[in-house]
Amino acid sequence: MSPGRSIDHEELSLEELRDLTARTNGFYARDYSLYLGWNNVRYIIETSLFQAKLLNRTLIIPSFVYARACEYDNAICADYTPMIDRTEATGIEFPEDQRAGFRMPISLMVNVTLLREAHPVILVSDYLRLHGLSSTLEKTDGSWDRDAYHSGAMVFEQDKSRAPSLYVIENAYYDPKGTNRVDVLPEDMKARGSWSPVGFNVDTGRIGAWGKEVPSSEIHDALWNALPEGQSVLDFDRVWSIIECLDEVGDIEDEAELEQLLRDYGWEILYTFQGALGMDLAKTVVEPVRQVAPRSTLRGFADEYADLDEDVLLLAGETHLERKPGSMRFTSTEASGNFQGMVLHQVHAIDKVHTLADKLHERMLRLTGRRLWMGSHMRRGDFIKEDWVIEHDPAQHVARVKEHLETGRDFLASRQEVRSYDIAGIKPDETQFTHQPPNPDDPFYVATDERDPDALKAIAAGGAVFLNDLLTIEDRQAFGWPLIVTDVRALVEQALLARSAYFYAHSMSSVAGGIVNMRAARGADPRTTLLD
């Protein structure tokens, strides 16, 4: 679906909520980490949407999130949306200068109606209304209240004493050490390993047992010994190089033969996505990869939890940190493609964001004389404090950005054709050939959380254009008050940079990861994106 389609969220009536949830087998809830920034919360929503669909349960998402700063004095933002103490609201200790935040309806941050086109989704406030409970009960830290949320029957329930039942997937049960959480175990895989459900284990939750023992062999032992410390998975290319060196194995004709050999020796092929520079902080889903894991380590999410009949199924605690996109690997290309499609096409900002980004894109073209324009995300604030920023000095930082953009300019000037990411249904964006490549002295766009006036002057002196340079009073009036909140401004900047001809950013940034995914969905050439 085009991001430009106007489908902003509208509150559903009780009857509409009943009909929406009746299509599923109950509710799927999470403990949402609202102390995190928006893009990390978005990762959790992306994962939860897939998991809820996998279990055929209505996904429940928070009614609000917390924005971290106001573009002006905090009192101005507080006139429009509640200002909160993030330490008090979330229970996480923030530094004194980061404690102030703003409570934002989640419908301003993500297009809830579009989410519902992928699978039934409701807000916590919807769930509370549906059960005759006050919206004031919604917990400020994003966790699921196992008592208060289960104190009232559904308003359409005849038996008013019937409170919704609850099953908790404890955090330790999700992917204990030495296991690999996957979406579902295919029937042929279960047959190969003689899998059967064996009930409940107090340490690891619901599990299944692989009954077929894999005998020791040169192949199995070589792969097992190659597993990195603390991990239970190998990259497919690494496996091939190991197998080729073994005396027990003859010449392997093709990948299909290698895959069959691995299955014969107790290893299975899994599908996931390559992280930026080998890390999974940006959570991009644009580069599918194969991995290999011992069959005995696999635990299927649907196999363990799809048969439960409790009204609410709760996955407790945090699961997205230090995990692949989706917080699981997939046992088929179809499943990994379905998750990828959700991320690229269903989890979007609201219509206003894309409408404004289109206008700003046009203004960048005017600034460059209708030539292609380039952009960068320069994350500085917390990256400087954590010593994650590549260059501390703003002048050196912008010089580094310009160096990479110059490489981008050379590519744009020399390319003869446009590619897209190898993703089903996405075609290359050919419109860029309607513009000339950038000139060396053209202005370029920079999205940054830098707020020091002297640092901003240094960045601007290098040729950078900022959001305030492009916005007009008419833009602000049309968009409304949320545009004074920095997290909403960041959504606009992500959408704008998704439209740039070339994009450069830091690989450890979740903001940059979102931009990469958006660029892929728009048909951008993968050679026009660089994360380092």
Side-chain angles (χ1 to χ4, degrees), residues 428-445:
D429 178 13
E430 301 280 357
T431 62
Q432 292 190 1
F433 278 131
T434 63
H435 300 277
Q436 294 297 312
N439 283 343
D441 59 349
D442 278 349
F444 53 92
Y445 188 83

Side-chain angles (χ1 to χ4, degrees), residues 321-527:
L321 296 173
E322 299 182 359
R323 290 178 174 87
K324 286 288 187 182
S327 297
M328 64 174 64
R329 292 174 172 84
F330 308 94
T331 55
S332 69
T333 55
E334 179 183 9
S336 64
N338 287 340
F339 176 73
Q340 181 186 62
M342 281 185 172
V343 172
L344 297 184
H345 304 301
Q346 302 295 155
V347 188
H348 280 185
I350 62 175
D351 180 69
K352 282 185 177 181
V353 166
H354 295 283
T355 298
L356 180 54
D358 284 336
K359 292 179 180 178
L360 301 180
H361 166 63
E362 179 63 26
R363 288 173 198 155
M364 282 301 302
L365 288 174
R366 293 176 192 169
L367 289 177
T368 60
R370 308 302 299 177
R371 289 180 294 275
L372 296 173
W373 63 275
M374 302 182 292
S376 175
H377 175 237
M378 292 175 60
R379 185 164 178 179
R380 293 186 54 79
D382 58 340
F383 269 31
I384 292 177
K385 294 177 182 178
E386 299 293 337
D387 200 26
W388 289 349
V389 71
I390 297 174
E391 301 287 354
H392 285 259
D393 180 77
Q396 293 178 359
H397 197 165
V398 75
R400 182 184 181 90
V401 168
K402 292 178 69 174
E403 179 181 346
H404 287 297
L405 294 184
E406 182 64 20
T407 301
R409 188 192 70 79
D410 291 342
F411 170 73
L412 293 171
S414 63
R415 67 175 174 177
Q416 301 298 312
E417 40 76 37
V418 180
R419 305 174 190 168
S420 63
Y421 288 89
D422 186 16
I423 298 172
I426 292 178
K427 297 180 180 179
D429 178 13
E430 301 280 357
T431 62
Q432 292 190 1
F433 278 131
T434 63
H435 300 277
Q436 294 297 312
N439 283 343
D441 59 349
D442 278 349
F444 53 92
Y445 188 83
V446 165
T448 182
D449 58 350
E450 181 63 74
R451 291 296 179 267
D452 179 77
D454 291 334
L456 290 172
K457 286 180 181 178
I459 297 170
V465 174
F466 302 125
L467 182 59
N468 283 343
D469 298 325
L470 300 178
L471 286 174
T472 67
I473 186 63
E474 290 78 16
D475 294 330
R476 299 174 189 273
Q477 290 172 342
F479 197 99
W481 69 264
L483 200 55
I484 65 177
V485 177
T486 55
D487 290 60
V488 176
R489 292 167 65 92
L491 293 178
V492 174
E493 294 194 288
Q494 282 184 304
L496 176 58
L497 285 167
R499 290 154 169 79
S500 64
Y502 192 88
F503 171 66
Y504 163 68
H506 198 295
S507 62
M508 296 176 69
S509 170
S510 58
V511 173
I515 294 169
V516 172
N517 288 338
M518 292 168 70
R519 291 176 66 81
R522 293 179 62 84
D525 191 318
R527 297 170 294 177

Side-chain angles (χ1 to χ4, degrees), residues 236-247:
F236 188 85
D237 291 342
R238 169 72 173 138
V239 168
W240 193 313
S241 65
I242 294 171
I243 294 292
E244 285 181 324
C245 298
L246 300 180
D247 296 333

